[in-house]
Amino acid sequence: MAISISVVLFLFILAVIFLRNGGLKVSHAIVCALLGFLLASTRMAPTIHDGIVATADIVSGLRP
């Protein structure tokens, strides 16, 4: 659960930065959000979740 909240927070921060810099329009942000909600309700959702968890495990295992 902590990973998904962190990813959501990170994506929200990126969206705000892009909106403020003019690189992302409000309509684009709405389309991206709708795409995320639609993907969450498909059969691809567990695969996407597993990929994010695997990536987070790899990144958390890295030692500088």
Side-chain angles (χ1 to χ4, degrees), residues 8-56:
V8 170
L9 181 63
F10 175 69
L11 291 175
F12 177 74
I13 290 170
L14 279 178
V16 168
I17 290 170
F18 288 150
L19 279 170
R20 296 188 106 201
N21 291 337
L24 181 70
K25 297 192 175 13
V26 175
S27 61
H28 298 151
I30 291 171
V31 168
C32 290
L34 289 175
L35 176 64
F37 282 114
L38 291 175
L39 280 176
S41 65
T42 64
R43 291 189 307 184
M44 287 179 50
T47 305
I48 295 169
H49 181 266
D50 292 343
I52 291 172
V53 169
T55 304

